[in-house]
Amino acid sequence: MNNNSNGVREAFYQRIDKINLFPLWEQLHNLVPREPAGACVPALWRYGDVRPYLMEAGELISAQEAVRRVLVLENPALRGQASITSSLYAGLQLILPGEIAPSHRHSQSALRFVVEGQGAYTAVNGERTTMSPGDFIITPSWAWHDHGNPPEADGGEPVIWLDGLDIPLVRFFDAGFAQNHDVDAQPLSRPEGTSLARFGHNMLPVNHAPGSRSSPIFNYPYTRTREALDTLLQHEQVDPCDGVKLRYVNPETGGAPMPTMATFMQLLPRGFHGAAYRSTDATVFSVVEGSGVAVIAGQRLAFGPKDTFIAPSWSPINFEAQEACVLFSFSDRPVQQAAGIWRESRDLA
Ligand code: 1HN
């Protein structure tokens, strides 16, 4: 039987709809598209556009009252979902001299990428780290964390960083928990620098047993990253798509610093005109140095220092660098790789 006369099928669909059923055959191709067809679109936030609003927020509410004083960067096609890509959240956070953002912990993993200002700290699991522009800092799932900007003799300065969290992913799994600490600033159990000394020199304490799924290093300082990229630019071949690109690692595993987010830093030499590539992990970029253009799905996004932009899943992207550019980026690549679904294509010519 193959009868669709007189709306027989439509009537059938309406009858089964009443008990929450629908016919797969009407939706099959949307459910299993030939290639990624997400809603996420390319977008760029100019730092010069966002910063004045962030400073205005600094007058409207204290870090203490806000808990986290953040303006969330929402993908224009995902408004209302606190999502910069379908799986990731990003926002710009401000902490003024003299302020504390009180200690809490949650299932969501977080990364901070410092954009502006000196002198603030983040405390993670009993240790503080002072933040400088370009530093990449992690707060692993369920780790206590608080931030502060101690007032200096000269008054200090506002400190601003990009937050990246796996909020949409954890929401998808309905697996999120959160807790406030009893005190605003968590008690410290180790002097600053302990984690980097133990884990940040291509060595591990001799009897070290891995304690969590995340990296035991929680600040990857920019000075070292920058130096490595510079050295490699002088002596290595530049990749046609990436320039010189390094990924951050968890020294215990060689994998990404956190189970849900991979992070990268790349240097595009002056005059670089990159080849296009695409990958299934939608990627958030934060510009550290330099101006250029990211061509994403045919759109030309002109970027400058401290801007944030995103490349959606499977959208072709290539870079043009007017001057030497340094780009930090992050994505959900480790989740896709764990599921065996990550794909990349680097010969789009
Ligand atoms: C959070 O804990 C921080 O610790 C930043 O700085 C942004 C967004 C949603 C939920 C928790 C932080 C956040 C967040």
Side-chain angles (χ1 to χ4, degrees), residues 225-264:
T225 311
R226 188 71 180 85
E227 196 179 310
L229 290 172
D230 248 344
T231 304
L232 292 172
L233 181 63
Q234 286 161 32
H235 304 298
E236 300 262 298
Q237 284 226 311
V238 171
D239 179 88
C241 299
D242 296 331
V244 178
K245 187 170 184 177
L246 296 172
R247 67 179 176 91
Y248 291 87
V249 296
N250 173 349
E252 290 174 354
T253 63
M258 293 181 288
T260 52
M261 290 183 281
T263 47
F264 310 87

Side-chain angles (χ1 to χ4, degrees), residues 50 99 143 194 288 313:
V50 180
E99 289 192 315
T194 304
V288 193
S313 167

Side-chain angles (χ1 to χ4, degrees), residues 18 53 60 67 120 134 161 166 208 228 243 271 296 313 322 324 336 347:
K18 292 190 172 59
Y53 290 127
L60 281 179
V67 182
W161 63 80
D166 54 9
H208 175 70
I296 305 174
S313 167
Q322 282 128 38
Q336 295 197 29
D347 49 0

